[in-house]
Amino acid sequence: MVAFRGNYSAGTIVVRTGERRLYYVIGEGRAIRYPVGVGRASKQWTGTSYIDGKYVQPAWSPPADVKRDNPRLPSVIPGGSPRNPMGAAAMTLSGGEYAIHGTNAPGSVGGFVSYGCFRMYNADITDLFGRVSVGTTVVVTR
């Protein structure tokens, strides 16, 4: 747990892309801090969303822009496959193709590496997954 500044309700997820950190606000100026991989310079976004789905070892279908940049990717990579970039779990965000998810490339956590998703170590996404529910607010800032 870390001290946390910001006017957010307990139970809110705050992603600060410039810090490459995700905070789960627990209240009273405290939060649980996790390192995350965030969007590349041209793929970052800010705003408020919410978790609209939770999945353990989800299958992954590359979004159109990922497929365009990597045409050899299969249309679907099964959940649990070592080639699946979603890792141990994923929580999808409303309003787009973004998620907070684990990774099969732990060295990418902490970097500007994604197409807009937030990558976490598999142990960290497993921990956060157990703490939040569908409907949890997610605020993304720079």
Side-chain angles (χ1 to χ4, degrees):
M1 254 182 278
V2 297
F4 183 78
R5 285 186 232 155
N7 192 20
Y8 301 101
S9 302
T12 301
I13 293 172
V14 178
V15 179
R16 292 183 174 159
T17 59
E19 293 178 20
R20 292 169 315 284
R21 297 285 184 263
L22 180 152
Y23 297 88
Y24 178 63
V25 179
I26 56 176
E28 300 179 12
R30 311 282 293 160
I32 301 170
R33 179 179 60 200
Y34 305 92
V36 291
V38 300
R40 300 170 187 170
S42 63
K43 302 294 184 183
Q44 291 185 16
W45 59 278
T46 60
T48 300
S49 186
Y50 63 89
I51 294 172
D52 69 359
K54 293 175 62 178
Y55 308 92
V56 174
Q57 292 192 334
W60 181 66
S61 296
D65 56 344
V66 175
K67 188 78 166 164
R68 188 172 38 257
D69 291 349
N70 303 282
R72 294 181 185 212
L73 282 173
S75 295
V76 176
I77 298 177
S81 167
R83 295 182 56 217
N84 186 316
M86 301 299 272
M91 298 182 294
T92 54
L93 302 178
S94 67
E97 297 181 328
Y98 303 121
I100 300 168
H101 61 81
T103 185
N104 64 345
S108 68
V109 174
F112 296 97
V113 293
S114 77
Y115 281 74
C117 287
F118 305 106
R119 295 182 190 174
M120 299 179 74
Y121 293 119
N122 286 322
D124 288 349
I125 189 65
T126 300
D127 179 71
L128 183 63
F129 190 96
R131 295 177 187 275
V132 303
S133 59
V134 169
T136 296
T137 300
V138 178
V139 179
V140 180
T141 66
R142 296 245 186 249

